[in-house]
Every structure is written in structure tokens, then in C-alpha cells.
Amino acid sequence: MWERIQRGIASFSLTLAQGQPELFPETPVTVTGFKPQIDSTSWILVQVAHTLNGAGYTSSLELEIKHTEQAEITEQKQSV
């Protein structure tokens, strides 16, 4: 429970144009194609919604900083 409370320091959402059924909550992920601060961060999926409709199959993702990343950010803030 404590890890989950600590994770919420940074988050973002995105929708994949081609759904990926292997994705599920608590899966650690890395992202690419964003600014370096985002690409270099370890993320964890907190919510995944898979949708199949007339437009095709998509996956909507909500990501938060993985607990180990959050601890490093907290330490950096305290040293400033």
C-alpha cells in the first residue's frame, strides 16, 4: 500500500492506436519518443483499458513513476 501512495508523484496517459493485449496493471514499462526526462524514467502501468469497436482495437494506458524512480526524485528535492 505504501508503494502505491508514493507512486503518484508523476503520471501520464496515452492511447495506443494498435492495442496490445499483453499489457495489464502493475507491468513495468519504458517509453520512447518523448522528451529525455520522460524516456529515461521507469514507469508502471496503473490502469489499462482495451477497446474493440468499429475503429479497431486500442489500449488506453495510465502510467505513474515506478517506486524506485519516485524515491530518487524525493531525495533530489530534499538535497536542494
Side-chain angles (χ1 to χ4, degrees), residues 2-80:
W2 177 248
E3 285 183 10
R4 187 166 171 123
I5 291 169
Q6 294 295 308
R7 276 200 319 240
I9 195 164
S11 63
F12 76 98
S13 302
L14 65 121
T15 299
L16 303 177
Q18 293 183 348
Q20 296 188 12
E22 67 276 8
L23 298 176
F24 56 90
E26 300 300 319
T27 301
V29 296
T30 55
V31 297
T32 58
F34 297 93
K35 62 184 184 177
Q37 297 88 337
I38 294 174
D39 287 354
S40 65
T41 301
S42 296
W43 297 93
I44 191 161
L45 292 172
V46 293
Q47 187 170 359
V48 179
H50 301 286
T51 304
L52 179 61
N53 58 27
Y57 178 62
T58 61
S59 296
S60 298
L61 314 174
E62 288 188 33
L63 299 90
E64 290 181 354
I65 287 180
K66 193 172 175 181
H67 177 67
T68 55
E69 288 283 328
Q70 190 278 333
E72 290 173 14
I73 290 170
T74 301
E75 289 173 8
Q76 290 173 358
K77 285 182 180 178
Q78 290 174 353
S79 65
V80 173

